[in-house]
Amino acid sequence: MTIFQLECFCALADSLNFTQTANAMFITQPALSRAISSLEQELQLTLLQRTTHSVTLTPAGKIFSSECHKMLKEFQRGSERARSAQAGQIGSVRIGFQRDNFETYIVDFVNLFRRSHTDITLELLPLSVNELNNALQEKMADAVISGGPPATESIRSLMIANLPECVALPLDHPLANNDILDMRDLKNEKFIAMARSISCSGFESIIQKSLAAGFEAQIVAQVDLLPTLMTMVACGQGISILHRDMLPRSNGRIAFVPLRSVSYFRRWLMWDINNDNPCLQPLIALGRKWQDDLEYPVE
């Protein structure tokens, strides 16, 4: 049984006229007759009663006509959904993100994608830093949001976070009421940093900033979790460098003072160009628009 046979029968069942049906389908009348006869033979049913002057549906033909129309509608719907899937309009996409942080721009990015592409299921994968670095190569995720550099030449990236960094201080710190600070103002301070194994870029950033200001930062504690770092700062154990997006999470317990020579906390949406998931393309398109609309544009 073929789609062509079903289309021929449905059209003929509607018109009950071989000549009209053949003309409407742009085929010859003998070709239409062969399609109907072969369908009846395959089903072992008589679907039509033919006389010299008329064509009528048999009881079996009436039932099959109703079912045949349903089958063709389902076939058309299935074909359309398959084409949509091939075009990346239907399907699923997996995004990996660092499980130890809560970063609001990720929430905004993901929610915008879901609102814009309601037929694409977006799966979020909370990953450790090491898992995040390997997720694309090991095909754990279609894309990741990461602060690290691309691991291979096939990785492409778009910036989706470019947030100014601030000095995070206890509320009673002598520098907490300043409108702005230079890195050299922190020469005699004790720093708390994310452990190098957790955030190498964050740890090294403090070191590099201090060296550029003419001193080497005194790091008195390295922690594995950001809430731990913020708790220690709030309790007066030291200061740190955090991006402005962390301010709401401090619940007013930490002072955030901008650095004069502003540096930026940056995160990228990253993917492998060899990934053939068509639903990745709408995600990339959103990433491009998101990068163009950043509050602090990419320099």
Side-chain angles (χ1 to χ4, degrees):
M1 188 185 307
T2 66
I3 295 298
F4 175 70
Q5 288 174 310
L6 297 180
E7 289 174 339
C8 287
F9 176 72
C10 280
L12 183 57
D14 290 340
S15 71
L16 296 176
N17 186 298
F18 273 86
T19 302
Q20 289 180 10
T21 300
N23 290 338
M25 298 188 69
F26 300 100
I27 59 176
T28 64
Q29 188 169 328
L32 175 61
S33 296
R34 286 194 298 271
I36 299 300
S37 295
S38 62
L39 179 62
E40 289 180 315
Q41 290 174 9
E42 184 172 349
L43 295 174
Q44 297 183 349
L45 292 171
T46 300
L47 302 174
L48 299 165
Q49 291 287 355
R50 306 167 180 83
T51 68
T52 306
H53 303 292
S54 66
V55 177
T56 58
L57 292 171
T58 65
K62 291 178 181 179
I63 295 297
F64 189 70
S65 173
S66 175
E67 296 300 321
C68 189
H69 280 86
K70 294 177 184 177
M71 285 188 283
L72 287 178
K73 285 182 180 178
E74 284 299 308
F75 173 77
Q76 182 178 3
R77 189 183 73 86
S79 298
E80 290 173 353
R81 287 182 62 82
R83 282 190 288 271
S84 295
Q86 183 170 287
Q89 299 168 346
I90 295 176
S92 63
V93 64
R94 299 164 299 165
I95 302 180
F97 68 99
Q98 189 171 334
R99 68 188 181 194
D100 299 326
N101 287 345
F102 175 73
E103 296 172 359
T104 57
Y105 63 88
I106 295 180
V107 178
D108 296 337
F109 182 81
V110 167
N111 286 341
L112 179 58
F113 182 84
R114 283 178 166 156
R115 289 194 300 270
S116 305
H117 301 86
T118 55
D119 289 326
I120 298 178
T121 300
L122 190 151
E123 180 183 357
L124 289 171
L125 303 176
L127 302 173
S128 68
V129 173
N130 288 337
E131 289 172 335
L132 202 61
N133 291 336
N134 298 320
L136 297 179
Q137 290 175 290
E138 296 179 2
K139 302 187 185 304
M140 295 169 57
D142 297 301
V144 297
I145 295 173
S146 172
T152 69
E153 292 183 357
S154 66
I155 303 301
R156 299 292 183 269
S157 63
L158 289 165
M159 189 177 295
I160 63 168
N162 192 38
L163 303 168
E165 291 184 319
C166 299
V167 184
L169 310 111
L171 293 178
D172 59 357
H173 193 285
L175 300 176
N177 293 321
N178 286 38
D179 293 328
I180 196 166
L181 289 170
D182 289 317
M183 193 68 190
R184 60 176 176 269
D185 296 330
L186 311 178
K187 180 177 180 179
N188 298 318
E189 300 296 330
K190 297 177 181 179
F191 284 81
I192 300 169
M194 295 299 294
R196 184 185 270 111
S197 59
I198 297 297
S199 177
C200 184
S201 60
F203 183 93
E204 292 298 331
S205 176
I206 293 176
I207 298 297
Q208 295 303 318
K209 285 181 176 67
S210 64
L211 291 176
F215 69 99
E216 183 174 354
Q218 181 186 359
I219 296 179
V220 296
Q222 297 183 45
V223 299
D224 293 341
L225 298 173
L226 185 60
T228 303
L229 183 149
M230 296 179 74
T231 298
M232 293 181 71
V233 169
C235 291
Q237 301 300 297
I239 70 170
S240 193
I241 306 294
L242 296 173
H243 60 84
R244 193 191 63 175
D245 199 41
M246 295 295 173
L247 175 59
R249 298 179 58 186
S250 71
N251 291 320
R253 301 301 196 277
I254 297 174
F256 282 69
V257 181
L259 281 167
R260 186 179 303 278
S261 298
V262 176
S263 57
Y264 290 88
F265 168 89
R266 289 171 171 167
R267 286 291 183 266
W268 287 266
L269 176 71
M270 305 172 70
W271 70 95
D272 193 318
I273 59 174
N274 297 315
N275 188 316
D276 59 1
N277 182 354
C279 291
L280 183 57
Q281 296 309 311
L283 189 71
I284 294 170
L286 177 60
R288 290 196 177 100
K289 185 178 186 305
W290 190 274
Q291 178 174 273
D292 291 341
D293 293 342
L294 283 175
E295 179 180 358
Y296 296 91
V298 182
E299 298 173 355

